[in-house]
Amino acid sequence: MNPRVVLGVSGGIAAYKACELLRRFTESGHDVTVVPTAAALAFVGAPTWAALSGKPVSSEVWADVHAVPHVQIGQRADLVVVAPATADLLAKAAHGLADDLLTNTLLTARCPVVFAPAMHTEMWEHPATVANVATLRERGAVVIEPAEGRLTGEDTGKGRLPDPAEIFHLALDVLSRGVSAPDLAGRHVVVSAGGTREYLDPVRFLGNRSSGLQGYALARVAAARGAEVTLVAANVTLPDPAGVKVVAVEDTAQLRDAVLAAAVSADAVVMAAAPADFRPVTVSQDKIKKAEDGSSPAIVLEQNPDILKHLASQTPRRSVVVGFAAETGDPSGSVLELGRAKLARKGCDLLVVNDVSGGGVFGSPDNEAVILGADGSQVSVPLGTKSALAQVIWDEVARRLGP
């Protein structure tokens, strides 16, 4: 049976964006029931929701009373997503009010619940809203952090509804776990992603093939499991994951500074980025020209700081540190042998070892890996989506975080 999703829509201007979210759910085979508030119907009419979902739409508890919709919709749901969630809706949900079909559904649902807030910055930052969000999170709901950007009118700030595609991906991650309690709630995690660039001149650089897909999957999954997530992204062109703070960097020094600054308050740091091992000793201020005699310029390199080793060696250390190793194997050892040596050398808690022979991992939506633990553990993750691998990585991190 297709997963049953309830899409709650409350009365904000961002209600029109929920149409895109609904389309993504229905086109991916989910059975979606739309439950708008009366205010939401002032922005997007019931015919639109009915046409996109293929089901009749009502906001009233009095419609089809014989079927007891105010109880059964929530009871039967596998996932409830409220997008947008206004300050008013969050307040009602936090205080258990039930004056329409959506708030009744929220009270009867025993499945995971995701709220995607959208409102003006002042409303999001008001102590009442802050307290309501904290209450909902304590009860096990996933409340996504709003995005920053253009709001209604000329205002800009935090309070924008995250991209519907990213809300959809986060919702799938929540649904895939099939449990209602976000096990990373109250935790701050740091994830790095992408590949750094070390410039030779204004137009050329040393880089690598990292797309950032695995790091972004890790950030998205962590947010779906309730964590506060800081994503340090090096030269990545992917859309920001919903509910995640993104810090953009370019070279390895910037990556190091951003990760170390965020790690001060982190419970876990996952270094999925591919920092350049070397950088030029000198950087030309002008574009390096071809020599008339066909000779090549001499480029002298020096080692970049080892960010993973530095994180793992900090004393005292309160965070779980996870590294990645992209290996191909060589005459000195197999992929796993080289991975175990790197785990010992870096001193981290977990090392995710990828066999990148042939370059198949880079830019691919799928991945497979072996997760090595400093405690001698070894977890093999078969080929699957990068989100599936991210779930296993966070399972291992959560076990080491404890209560």
Side-chain angles (χ1 to χ4, degrees):
M1 185 168 59
N2 294 334
R4 290 166 297 197
V5 177
V6 173
L7 175 59
V9 185
S10 59
I13 185 61
Y16 77 93
K17 295 183 180 179
C19 296
E20 170 69 12
L21 181 57
L22 172 57
R23 185 185 66 81
R24 288 181 176 272
F25 275 121
T26 56
E27 290 187 355
S28 57
H30 295 80
D31 177 358
V32 187
T33 300
V34 182
V35 183
T37 64
L41 293 176
F43 290 97
V44 180
T48 299
W49 300 121
L52 291 175
S53 68
K55 292 183 177 183
V57 171
S58 176
S59 64
E60 299 291 340
V61 296
W62 308 111
D64 298 321
V65 174
H66 64 283
V68 202
H70 74 290
V71 173
Q72 292 200 16
I73 292 175
Q75 287 179 334
R76 293 174 177 175
D78 297 306
L79 175 70
V80 177
V81 180
V82 182
T86 60
D88 178 69
L89 188 282
L90 293 173
K92 288 179 177 178
H95 289 84
L97 301 181
D99 61 352
D100 61 9
L101 190 56
L102 178 54
T103 49
N104 273 270
T105 298
L106 289 169
L107 277 183
T108 56
R110 293 299 179 266
C111 60
V113 178
V114 176
F115 293 94
M119 63 196 74
H120 275 75
T121 307
E122 294 83 358
M123 300 172 74
W124 174 251
E125 295 177 347
H126 193 282
T129 305
V130 171
N132 291 333
V133 169
T135 296
L136 292 169
R137 286 172 173 165
E138 288 169 4
R139 292 179 186 157
V142 175
V143 184
I144 305 172
E145 288 289 316
E148 295 188 25
R150 181 71 178 268
L151 305 174
T152 307
E154 298 180 354
D155 292 349
T156 60
K158 189 169 186 178
R160 185 182 178 90
L161 186 74
D163 185 271
E166 290 303 314
I167 298 174
F168 172 71
H169 289 305
L170 182 144
L172 292 188
D173 289 329
V174 172
L175 187 59
S176 70
R177 295 192 70 230
V179 294
S180 58
D183 59 349
L184 295 179
R187 302 289 192 178
H188 174 212
V189 303
V190 178
V191 178
S192 68
T196 61
R197 297 174 178 178
E198 303 297 339
Y199 278 87
L200 304 172
D201 62 23
V203 297
R204 301 183 181 91
F205 58 83
L206 297 175
N208 56 67
R209 297 176 60 188
S210 178
S211 65
L213 287 171
Q214 185 63 72
Y216 271 57
L218 281 157
R220 186 184 299 114
V221 168
R225 293 171 70 154
E228 174 192 349
V229 185
T230 300
L231 175 62
V232 182
N235 307 295
V236 179
T237 57
L238 302 170
D240 292 352
V244 171
K245 177 184 178 182
V246 179
V247 180
V249 298
E250 192 165 21
D251 60 31
T252 303
Q254 294 170 353
L255 178 71
R256 178 182 183 275
D257 291 345
V259 168
L260 293 183
V264 170
S265 61
D267 297 288
V269 182
V270 182
M271 287 294 297
D277 292 324
F278 304 96
R279 64 188 176 200
V281 172
T282 59
V283 179
S284 174
Q285 298 303 306
D286 304 309
K287 181 181 176 182
I288 300 172
K289 304 297 192 295
K290 291 182 179 179
E292 293 296 332
D293 60 4
S295 61
S296 299
I299 299 173
V300 181
L301 302 177
E302 61 182 351
Q303 284 195 15
N304 267 319
D306 192 324
I307 306 172
L308 178 60
K309 189 172 183 178
H310 179 80
L311 286 167
S313 65
Q314 290 184 321
T315 305
R317 175 155 64 87
R318 61 184 294 270
S319 58
V320 175
V321 177
V322 183
F324 272 68
E327 299 288 354
T328 59
D330 59 33
S332 67
S334 67
V335 167
L336 277 185
E337 288 170 340
L338 293 173
R340 290 190 185 94
K342 183 172 183 177
L343 175 64
R345 189 169 65 252
K346 300 293 186 179
C348 50
D349 300 288
L350 294 165
L351 188 73
V352 183
V353 183
N354 288 129
D355 185 343
V356 296
S357 302
V361 170
F362 299 107
S364 169
D366 298 325
N367 202 354
E368 61 181 319
V370 176
I371 305 172
L372 301 177
D375 56 3
S377 62
Q378 178 175 317
V379 178
S380 296
V381 184
L383 183 64
T385 65
K386 288 183 174 177
S387 290
L389 174 57
Q391 294 282 12
V392 180
I393 292 170
W394 288 120
D395 286 344
E396 294 300 309
V397 171
R399 273 195 279 273
R400 286 159 175 81
L401 284 172

